[in-house]
Protein backbone atom coordinates (compact mmCIF):
# COMPACT_ATOMS: atom_id res chain seq x y z
CA UNK A 1 0.00 0.00 0.00
CA UNK A 2 1.41 3.38 -0.96
CA UNK A 3 0.95 6.75 0.76
CA UNK A 4 -0.17 8.42 -2.47
CA UNK A 5 -3.16 7.79 -4.72
CA UNK A 6 -2.26 9.34 -8.10
CA UNK A 7 0.60 10.38 -10.38
CA UNK A 8 0.11 13.57 -12.41
CA UNK A 9 2.36 13.93 -15.46
CA UNK A 10 3.33 16.93 -17.53
CA UNK A 11 3.75 15.98 -21.21
CA UNK A 12 6.23 18.02 -23.22
CA UNK A 13 9.76 17.43 -22.03
CA UNK A 14 8.66 15.05 -19.25
CA UNK A 15 6.75 12.22 -20.90
CA UNK A 16 8.60 12.66 -24.18
CA UNK A 17 11.30 14.93 -25.56
CA UNK A 18 8.83 16.64 -27.88
CA UNK A 19 10.17 20.15 -28.19
CA UNK A 20 13.36 20.29 -30.29
CA UNK A 21 12.47 17.58 -32.83
CA UNK A 22 8.68 17.71 -32.63
CA UNK A 23 7.05 21.04 -31.88
CA UNK A 24 9.93 23.12 -33.26
CA UNK A 25 9.97 21.62 -36.81
CA UNK A 26 6.18 21.74 -36.78
CA UNK A 27 6.26 25.47 -36.07
CA UNK A 28 8.82 25.98 -38.86
CA UNK A 29 6.72 23.95 -41.32
CA UNK A 30 3.68 26.06 -40.43
CA UNK A 31 5.61 29.29 -40.97
CA UNK A 32 6.84 28.10 -44.39
CA UNK A 33 3.34 26.93 -45.36
CA UNK A 34 1.99 30.38 -44.45
CA UNK A 35 4.64 32.02 -46.64
CA UNK A 36 6.57 33.47 -43.69
CA UNK A 37 10.37 33.54 -43.62
CA UNK A 38 10.44 32.80 -39.88
CA UNK A 39 12.66 29.89 -38.83
CA UNK A 40 13.19 28.92 -35.17
CA UNK A 41 16.56 27.15 -34.79
CA UNK A 42 17.17 24.96 -31.73
CA UNK A 43 18.86 27.78 -29.78
CA UNK A 44 16.19 30.40 -30.49
CA UNK A 45 13.46 27.88 -29.72
CA UNK A 46 15.09 27.20 -26.36
CA UNK A 47 14.74 30.91 -25.57
CA UNK A 48 11.11 30.97 -26.75
CA UNK A 49 10.29 27.98 -24.53
CA UNK A 50 10.28 30.40 -21.60
CA UNK A 51 6.73 31.11 -22.78
CA UNK A 52 4.36 28.17 -22.29
CA UNK A 53 1.73 27.63 -24.96
CA UNK A 54 2.27 27.53 -28.70
CA UNK A 55 -0.06 30.43 -29.47
CA UNK A 56 1.40 32.48 -26.63
CA UNK A 57 4.92 31.65 -27.90
CA UNK A 58 4.08 32.93 -31.40
CA UNK A 59 2.66 36.15 -29.90
CA UNK A 60 5.78 36.59 -27.77
CA UNK A 61 7.98 36.10 -30.87
CA UNK A 62 5.98 38.68 -32.88
CA UNK A 63 6.22 41.20 -30.03
CA UNK A 64 9.90 40.56 -29.32
CA UNK A 65 10.83 40.87 -33.01
CA UNK A 66 8.62 43.95 -33.50
CA UNK A 67 6.84 42.24 -36.38
CA UNK A 68 3.86 44.13 -37.84
CA UNK A 69 1.06 42.39 -39.70
CA UNK A 70 -0.57 43.41 -42.97
CA UNK A 71 -3.11 46.25 -42.53
CA UNK A 72 -6.47 44.88 -41.43
CA UNK A 73 -5.01 41.51 -40.36
CA UNK A 74 -6.38 40.45 -36.96
CA UNK A 75 -3.55 39.27 -34.70
CA UNK A 76 -5.49 36.59 -32.81
CA UNK A 77 -6.88 35.14 -36.05
CA UNK A 78 -3.43 35.19 -37.62
CA UNK A 79 -1.90 33.38 -34.63
CA UNK A 80 -4.74 30.86 -34.38
CA UNK A 81 -4.32 30.01 -38.07
CA UNK A 82 -0.56 29.51 -37.68
CA UNK A 83 -1.12 27.34 -34.60
CA UNK A 84 -3.67 25.16 -36.37
CA UNK A 85 -1.17 24.62 -39.19
CA UNK A 86 1.55 23.83 -36.65
CA UNK A 87 -0.62 21.32 -34.79
CA UNK A 88 -1.41 19.55 -38.07
CA UNK A 89 2.32 19.23 -38.82
CA UNK A 90 3.04 18.11 -35.26
CA UNK A 91 0.35 15.39 -35.40
CA UNK A 92 1.85 14.23 -38.68
CA UNK A 93 5.32 13.99 -37.09
CA UNK A 94 3.86 11.99 -34.19
CA UNK A 95 2.10 9.63 -36.60
CA UNK A 96 5.50 9.01 -38.28
CA UNK A 97 6.92 8.01 -34.88
CA UNK A 98 9.13 11.10 -34.66
CA UNK A 99 8.84 11.22 -30.85
CA UNK A 100 9.15 8.33 -28.39
CA UNK A 101 8.33 8.24 -24.68
CA UNK A 102 11.30 9.03 -22.45
CA UNK A 103 13.05 6.18 -20.57
CA UNK A 104 11.13 4.85 -17.59
CA UNK A 105 7.82 6.58 -18.37
CA UNK A 106 5.95 3.53 -19.64
CA UNK A 107 7.62 1.33 -16.98
CA UNK A 108 6.31 3.63 -14.23
CA UNK A 109 2.86 3.90 -15.79
CA UNK A 110 2.61 0.09 -15.99
CA UNK A 111 3.74 -0.27 -12.35
CA UNK A 112 1.28 2.38 -11.17
CA UNK A 113 -1.55 0.73 -13.07
CA UNK A 114 -0.70 -2.67 -11.61
CA UNK A 115 -0.65 -1.16 -8.11
CA UNK A 116 -3.99 0.64 -8.54
CA UNK A 117 -2.35 4.08 -8.51
CA UNK A 118 -4.42 6.51 -10.61
CA UNK A 119 -2.87 8.37 -13.58
CA UNK A 120 -3.51 11.90 -14.84
CA UNK A 121 -2.00 14.42 -17.23
CA UNK A 122 -1.64 18.18 -16.74
CA UNK A 123 -0.17 19.85 -19.82
CA UNK A 124 -0.08 23.10 -21.75
CA UNK A 125 -0.26 21.41 -25.14
CA UNK A 126 -3.52 20.52 -26.87
CA UNK A 127 -5.58 17.41 -26.07
CA UNK A 128 -5.14 16.16 -29.66
CA UNK A 129 -1.37 16.28 -29.25
CA UNK A 130 -1.63 14.22 -26.07
CA UNK A 131 -3.96 11.64 -27.65
CA UNK A 132 -1.61 11.29 -30.64
CA UNK A 133 1.52 10.94 -28.49
CA UNK A 134 -0.13 8.20 -26.41
CA UNK A 135 -1.64 6.52 -29.48
CA UNK A 136 1.80 6.14 -31.06
CA UNK A 137 3.63 5.04 -27.89
CA UNK A 138 3.39 1.34 -28.78
CA UNK A 139 1.03 0.42 -25.94
CA UNK A 140 -2.51 -0.33 -27.18
CA UNK A 141 -5.21 1.54 -25.23
CA UNK A 142 -2.66 3.69 -23.37
CA UNK A 143 -4.84 6.77 -23.51
CA UNK A 144 -7.46 4.93 -21.42
CA UNK A 145 -5.00 4.51 -18.57
CA UNK A 146 -5.44 8.21 -17.79
CA UNK A 147 -8.49 9.10 -15.74
CA UNK A 148 -7.85 12.81 -16.35
CA UNK A 149 -6.21 14.57 -19.29
CA UNK A 150 -6.15 18.28 -18.45
CA UNK A 151 -4.66 19.95 -21.53
CA UNK A 152 -4.26 23.26 -23.32
CA UNK A 153 -6.86 26.01 -23.41
CA UNK A 154 -9.23 24.43 -20.85
CA UNK A 155 -7.83 26.84 -18.27
CA UNK A 156 -7.50 30.63 -18.54
CA UNK A 157 -3.89 30.77 -17.36
CA UNK A 158 -1.17 28.46 -18.64
CA UNK A 159 1.95 27.38 -16.74
CA UNK A 160 3.65 28.77 -14.67
CA UNK A 161 0.13 29.45 -13.39
CA UNK A 162 -1.17 26.55 -11.29
CA UNK A 163 -4.49 26.35 -13.16
CA UNK A 164 -3.96 23.13 -15.10
CA UNK A 165 -2.75 21.20 -12.04
CA UNK A 166 -5.62 22.60 -9.94
CA UNK A 167 -8.02 21.39 -12.63
CA UNK A 168 -6.42 17.93 -12.75
CA UNK A 169 -6.68 17.64 -8.94
CA UNK A 170 -10.33 18.73 -9.01
CA UNK A 171 -11.18 16.22 -11.74
CA UNK A 172 -9.39 13.49 -9.77
CA UNK A 173 -11.21 14.57 -6.61
CA UNK A 174 -7.92 14.40 -4.73
CA UNK A 175 -5.91 16.72 -2.49
CA UNK A 176 -2.37 17.73 -3.55
CA UNK A 177 -0.86 15.61 -0.75
CA UNK A 178 -2.54 12.52 -2.25
CA UNK A 179 -0.52 12.95 -5.44
CA UNK A 180 2.95 13.07 -6.94
CA UNK A 181 3.62 15.37 -9.90
CA UNK A 182 6.21 15.01 -12.68
CA UNK A 183 7.60 17.98 -14.59
CA UNK A 184 10.62 19.02 -16.67
CA UNK A 185 10.78 22.83 -16.59
CA UNK A 186 10.88 25.82 -14.26
CA UNK A 187 7.44 26.94 -15.47
CA UNK A 188 6.07 23.47 -14.81
CA UNK A 189 7.68 23.18 -11.39
CA UNK A 190 6.21 26.54 -10.35
CA UNK A 191 2.78 25.51 -11.59
CA UNK A 192 2.85 22.22 -9.68
CA UNK A 193 4.24 23.69 -6.46
CA UNK A 194 1.75 26.56 -6.54
CA UNK A 195 -1.01 23.97 -6.88
CA UNK A 196 0.24 22.49 -3.58
CA UNK A 197 1.96 19.48 -5.17
CA UNK A 198 4.94 19.33 -2.85
CA UNK A 199 5.84 15.79 -3.93
CA UNK A 200 7.34 16.80 -7.26
CA UNK A 201 9.78 14.90 -9.46
CA UNK A 202 11.70 16.80 -12.13
CA UNK A 203 13.24 14.97 -15.10
CA UNK A 204 15.46 17.52 -16.77
CA UNK A 205 16.22 17.61 -20.50
CA UNK A 206 18.62 19.53 -22.74
CA UNK A 207 16.39 22.61 -22.67
CA UNK A 208 15.67 22.66 -18.94
CA UNK A 209 18.86 21.41 -17.25
CA UNK A 210 20.04 24.06 -14.78
CA UNK A 211 16.70 25.87 -14.50
CA UNK A 212 15.31 26.83 -11.08
CA UNK A 213 12.87 24.10 -9.95
CA UNK A 214 12.08 25.71 -6.57
CA UNK A 215 11.41 23.26 -3.73
CA UNK A 216 11.22 20.18 -5.96
CA UNK A 217 12.55 17.42 -3.65
CA UNK A 218 13.78 15.09 -6.43
CA UNK A 219 15.53 16.08 -9.66
CA UNK A 220 16.88 13.38 -12.01
CA UNK A 221 18.12 13.17 -15.58
CA UNK A 222 15.47 10.56 -16.43
CA UNK A 223 13.07 8.16 -14.66
CA UNK A 224 15.43 5.34 -15.58
CA UNK A 225 15.11 1.69 -16.57
CA UNK A 226 16.68 -1.43 -15.05
CA UNK A 227 20.21 -1.34 -16.46
CA UNK A 228 19.88 2.37 -17.25
CA UNK A 229 19.76 4.00 -13.80
CA UNK A 230 18.58 7.55 -13.12
CA UNK A 231 21.28 10.11 -12.41
CA UNK A 232 20.17 12.00 -9.28
CA UNK A 233 20.80 15.76 -9.35
CA UNK A 234 18.82 16.72 -6.21
CA UNK A 235 17.42 14.42 -3.51
CA UNK A 236 18.05 10.68 -3.41
CA UNK A 237 16.59 7.37 -4.56
CA UNK A 238 18.14 5.42 -1.64
CA UNK A 239 18.24 1.78 -2.68
CA UNK A 240 16.28 2.23 -5.93
CA UNK A 241 18.37 2.62 -9.10
CA UNK A 242 15.56 4.36 -10.95
CA UNK A 243 12.37 6.25 -10.08
CA UNK A 244 10.08 3.38 -9.07
CA UNK A 245 7.01 3.22 -6.83
CA UNK A 246 9.12 2.38 -3.76
CA UNK A 247 11.31 5.45 -4.32
CA UNK A 248 8.22 7.60 -4.86
CA UNK A 249 6.66 6.27 -1.66
CA UNK A 250 9.79 7.17 0.32
CA UNK A 251 9.82 10.63 -1.28
CA UNK A 252 6.15 11.17 -0.52
CA UNK A 253 6.56 10.01 3.10
CA UNK A 254 9.53 12.37 3.59
CA UNK A 255 7.75 15.37 2.08
CA UNK A 256 4.52 14.64 3.88
CA UNK A 257 6.24 14.07 7.24
CA UNK A 258 7.99 17.47 6.88
CA UNK A 259 4.70 19.18 6.08
CA UNK A 260 3.20 17.66 9.25
CA UNK A 261 6.30 18.70 11.21
CA UNK A 262 7.06 15.05 12.03
CA UNK A 263 10.67 13.83 11.98
C1 LIG B 1 4.88 22.65 -23.09
C2 LIG B 1 4.35 23.81 -23.83
C3 LIG B 1 3.49 23.56 -25.04
C4 LIG B 1 4.36 23.02 -26.19
C5 LIG B 1 3.75 23.33 -27.53
O1 LIG B 1 3.77 21.95 -22.56
O2 LIG B 1 4.57 24.93 -23.43
O3 LIG B 1 2.93 24.80 -25.41
O4 LIG B 1 5.63 23.67 -26.18
O5 LIG B 1 2.45 22.80 -27.59
P1 LIG B 1 3.92 21.07 -21.18
P2 LIG B 1 1.24 23.71 -28.16
O6 LIG B 1 3.06 21.79 -20.17
O7 LIG B 1 3.40 19.70 -21.55
O8 LIG B 1 5.40 21.06 -20.82
O9 LIG B 1 1.76 24.37 -29.41
O10 LIG B 1 0.13 22.74 -28.41
O11 LIG B 1 0.96 24.69 -27.04
MG1 LIG C 1 6.97 20.30 -19.90
Amino acid sequence: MFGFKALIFDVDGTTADTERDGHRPAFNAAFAEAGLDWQWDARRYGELLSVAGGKERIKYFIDSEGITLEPGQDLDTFIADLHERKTRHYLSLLSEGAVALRPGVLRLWRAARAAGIRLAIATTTTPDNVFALLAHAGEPGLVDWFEVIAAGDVVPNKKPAADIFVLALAELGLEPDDCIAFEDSDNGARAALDAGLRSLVITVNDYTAGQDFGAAPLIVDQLGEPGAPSRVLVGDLQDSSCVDLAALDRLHARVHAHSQGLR
Side-chain angles (χ1 to χ4, degrees):
M1 184 64 181
F2 297 102
F4 54 92
K5 298 188 175 86
L7 305 181
I8 306 176
F9 278 81
D10 163 56
V11 171
D12 294 304
T14 301
T15 304
D17 236 338
T18 55
E19 296 291 2
R20 191 191 57 205
D21 302 330
H23 289 297
R24 184 180 66 87
F27 277 111
N28 288 333
F31 301 151
E33 188 181 275
L36 300 167
D37 63 355
W38 309 350
Q39 275 294 301
W40 292 349
D41 63 17
R43 186 192 56 74
R44 181 73 170 112
Y45 190 67
E47 295 164 356
L48 294 168
L49 272 175
S50 62
V51 177
K55 294 191 288 293
E56 294 76 3
R57 194 165 303 143
I58 294 170
K59 171 81 168 52
Y60 173 79
F61 172 72
I62 288 171
D63 293 344
S64 61
E65 299 290 322
I67 292 166
T68 52
L69 300 186
E70 300 296 321
Q73 211 165 17
D74 174 71
L75 181 61
D76 288 344
T77 307
F78 174 76
I79 291 173
D81 168 67
L82 275 182
H83 194 252
E84 277 164 29
R85 293 170 188 260
K86 174 263 176 182
T87 300
R88 183 164 28 83
H89 285 288
Y90 181 67
L91 292 173
S92 168
L93 283 169
L94 290 181
S95 68
E96 293 156 13
V99 181
L101 296 184
R102 291 190 68 183
V105 169
L106 195 50
R107 167 188 59 75
L108 190 55
W109 289 349
R110 285 186 178 125
R113 187 172 160 76
I117 302 285
R118 299 158 70 185
L119 292 172
I121 278 174
T123 175
T124 309
T125 195
T126 62
D128 284 350
N129 289 352
V130 179
F131 301 146
L133 180 71
L134 296 177
H136 295 97
E139 178 72 40
L142 183 58
V143 70
D144 299 325
W145 294 14
F146 293 85
E147 242 177 87
V148 170
I149 295 182
D153 294 331
V154 289
V155 289
N157 309 299
K158 292 183 177 174
K159 299 174 186 176
D163 297 36
I164 200 73
F165 280 107
V166 170
L167 175 64
L169 286 163
E171 292 189 355
L172 284 165
L174 293 174
E175 293 302 317
D177 280 354
D178 295 329
C179 305
I180 298 177
F182 297 76
E183 266 286 354
D184 71 301
S185 67
D186 51 2
N187 281 339
R190 203 169 323 143
L193 291 166
D194 286 355
L197 289 156
R198 282 192 294 268
S199 292
L200 171 61
V201 178
I202 302 291
T203 54
V204 299
N205 53 61
D206 293 347
Y207 276 133
T208 67
Q211 287 184 348
D212 176 359
F213 302 110
L218 181 61
I219 302 175
V220 292
D221 65 335
Q222 53 157 345
L223 293 178
E225 298 282 7
S230 305
R231 184 163 59 87
V232 177
L233 307 171
V234 168
D236 65 59
L237 289 174
Q238 295 176 11
D239 50 3
S240 296
S241 65
C242 57
V243 180
D244 56 19
L245 292 181
L248 292 174
D249 204 36
R250 290 190 293 268
L251 167 79
H252 183 267
R254 264 199 321 275
V255 168
H256 202 57
H258 284 176
S259 63
Q260 287 175 347
L262 304 177
R263 285 281 163 250

